[in-house]
Amino acid sequence: MINDKKVLFSGMQATGNLTLGNYLGALQNWVKLADEYECFYSVVDMHSITVRQDPATLRKRARSLLILYIAAGLDPEKACIYFQSHVSAHAELAWILDCYTYMGEMNRMTQFKDKSAKHADNINVGLFAYPVLMAADILLYQTDLVPVGIDQMQHLEITRDIANRFNNIYGQTFTIPEAYIGKVGAKIMSLQDPTKKMSKSDENPNASIYLMDDPDTIRRKFKRAVTDSEGCIAYRDEQAGLKNLIDIYAACTGKTPDTIVSEFSGLGYGQLKEAVGEAVVDKLSPLQQRCAELEKDKSYIDGIIKNNAEKASYYAAKTLRKVQRKVGFPDRIR
Ligand code: TRP
């Protein structure tokens, strides 16, 4: 607990172009959670270098992602928005936790298997140890809740295993975090293959709406979105493309799927696609504008980066010192 509030931690990588899925599925919920919980939202740049990055691009994208957090409505005075690499405790705790994590359990991580297949020429130790760094992220802040997508559940499980193991050896040290499963966790699917999640790494640019897409591009992508040949507007699993369009419309407008189905009953898919496209344009245009304005305000953003890194370091150091003491590192001399 910090200030009588439960602690919530989450992170996002600045690699690839963020999509509407990242926004509606994650960021928009982060904003809602920020009033109720003490939130730490990190730009996890240390995770990003597990695959090769162009340094200038990574630096620029990391900053833009931090700005996007603010543009999306997070108050940087309340939620701690910071770069993972600015808080050295992440690396230090990750090393210690590496020594309490077994090769065998890491070998089971499905994301490691997927990513090694994808980057066969660069299967580095960091990629393998990625979940331990994620565990360090979470455990450093005595986190109660972690809003994550289904693809990160296995990493959260291993975080809990590592924390329990450490607590069993050394006594109560870490809070055991739980997944926060959102009530309306909009899961946004690819516009070209609605059985797949909308992904920033999709090779087909028409499959994803990027947050910085201009209005015409957005409208065009929705026009081309894959639907079905049933010809009837309904909200059901068998019409996955349509269901996805309705979910997007619902997440943008706050309407329920039922309301949307009755709103469009008797109309064609084309009309629904057009409406969804407009709703997304209306949602993203102000966001893009706020990002552009904040990008220009260098000293304001720099101030946030500095203050929040200090705030995160303060809380992280408390846990790290406790852990260092428990494993037997000599006390610091002040
Ligand atoms: N691995 C997460 C992802 O790719 C990002 C992440 C890093 C994270 N550290 C975290 C998410 C801690 C939640 C908590 O989506």
Side-chain angles (χ1 to χ4, degrees):
M1 300 283 250
I2 297 177
N3 302 325
D4 285 330
K5 285 181 176 173
K6 284 194 171 178
V7 177
L8 189 140
F9 186 99
S10 202
M12 225 184 259
Q13 293 203 46
T15 34
N17 284 319
L18 290 183
T19 70
L20 186 65
N22 299 116
Y23 181 60
L24 297 178
L27 208 44
Q28 190 165 263
N29 288 327
W30 288 12
V31 176
K32 289 186 201 139
L33 296 166
D35 281 332
E36 196 176 340
Y37 300 102
E38 190 72 34
C39 295
F40 292 85
Y41 293 132
S42 189
V43 173
V44 290
D45 46 0
M46 288 162 67
H47 278 101
S48 295
I49 62 164
T50 53
V51 301
R52 222 42 103 221
Q53 301 293 334
D54 170 60
T57 309
L58 177 60
R59 197 175 350 267
K60 190 161 169 288
R61 284 202 169 143
R63 188 174 171 102
S64 297
L65 180 55
L66 186 128
I67 287 173
L68 179 69
Y69 286 3
I70 302 166
L74 287 170
D75 177 356
E77 304 286 332
K78 283 203 269 163
C80 187
I81 296 170
Y82 72 100
F83 295 122
Q84 183 188 31
S85 64
H86 286 190
V87 179
S88 54
H90 287 259
E92 294 178 75
L93 182 62
W95 170 254
I96 296 175
L97 297 181
D98 276 338
C99 303
Y100 295 83
T101 307
Y102 298 110
M103 299 289 287
E105 53 190 349
M106 296 292 282
N107 268 325
R108 296 199 315 262
M109 297 291 114
T110 55
Q111 195 176 70
F112 172 68
K113 291 183 207 166
D114 293 348
K115 287 199 182 174
S116 350
K118 225 168 132 188
H119 304 279
D121 55 340
N122 182 20
I123 305 176
N124 61 72
V125 176
L127 191 64
F128 187 66
Y130 177 115
V132 185
L133 178 59
M134 182 162 157
D137 298 344
I138 295 167
L139 299 177
L140 268 180
Y141 300 95
Q142 304 292 344
T143 301
D144 298 286
L145 294 167
V146 185
V148 277
I150 199 95
D151 59 319
Q152 296 296 317
M153 283 304 276
Q154 203 183 23
H155 294 164
L156 189 60
E157 260 327 298
I158 204 166
T159 300
R160 292 161 54 87
D161 290 346
I162 297 169
N164 275 317
R165 181 173 305 145
F166 198 95
N167 286 351
N168 285 335
I169 304 174
Y170 298 104
Q172 179 56 38
T173 309
F174 296 122
T175 303
I176 307 301
E178 270 170 44
Y180 179 94
I181 311 288
K183 291 157 214 124
V184 278
K187 189 169 179 209
I188 307 301
M189 311 305 279
S190 155
L191 298 185
Q192 291 300 315
D193 175 3
T195 61
K196 276 189 352 198
K197 204 172 131 176
M198 185 181 285
S199 160
K200 47 190 175 183
S201 49
D202 205 307
E203 287 116 43
N204 182 349
N206 287 322
S208 309
I209 300 291
Y210 299 113
L211 293 184
M212 295 301 147
D213 277 349
D214 62 60
D216 285 341
T217 306
I218 294 172
R219 293 188 186 105
R220 182 169 40 79
K221 286 181 181 177
F222 276 107
K223 228 175 254 170
R224 292 188 187 165
V226 167
T227 45
D228 55 68
S229 51
E230 304 241 347
C232 157
I233 304 240
Y235 184 73
R236 53 194 205 109
D237 292 341
E238 290 76 12
Q239 289 171 269
L242 211 54
K243 183 162 185 273
N244 188 37
L245 291 176
I246 294 172
D247 279 333
I248 294 172
Y249 196 53
C252 286
T253 58
K255 293 179 188 174
T256 64
D258 283 349
T259 317
I260 296 167
V261 170
S262 42
E263 188 181 324
F264 286 90
S265 82
L267 299 180
Y269 290 176
Q271 279 146 310
L272 174 67
K273 287 179 178 183
E274 208 167 292
V276 182
E278 283 318 310
V280 172
V281 168
D282 288 348
K283 189 93 188 168
L284 294 188
S285 295
L287 184 73
Q288 293 172 352
Q289 215 172 330
R290 281 198 295 279
C291 281
E293 281 159 20
L294 289 165
E295 292 274 4
K296 279 185 245 156
D297 203 344
K298 183 166 186 312
S299 62
Y300 170 68
I301 298 297
D302 286 350
I304 287 165
I305 289 173
K306 180 164 182 285
N307 291 341
N308 278 324
E310 279 167 13
K311 177 174 166 187
S313 297
Y314 168 81
Y315 289 107
K318 284 211 230 185
T319 300
L320 181 66
R321 296 293 169 255
K322 194 153 100 178
V323 171
Q324 289 172 327
R325 177 123 241 302
K326 295 210 176 195
V327 300
F329 294 169
D331 287 334
R332 282 161 194 251
I333 313 296
R334 280 169 222 277

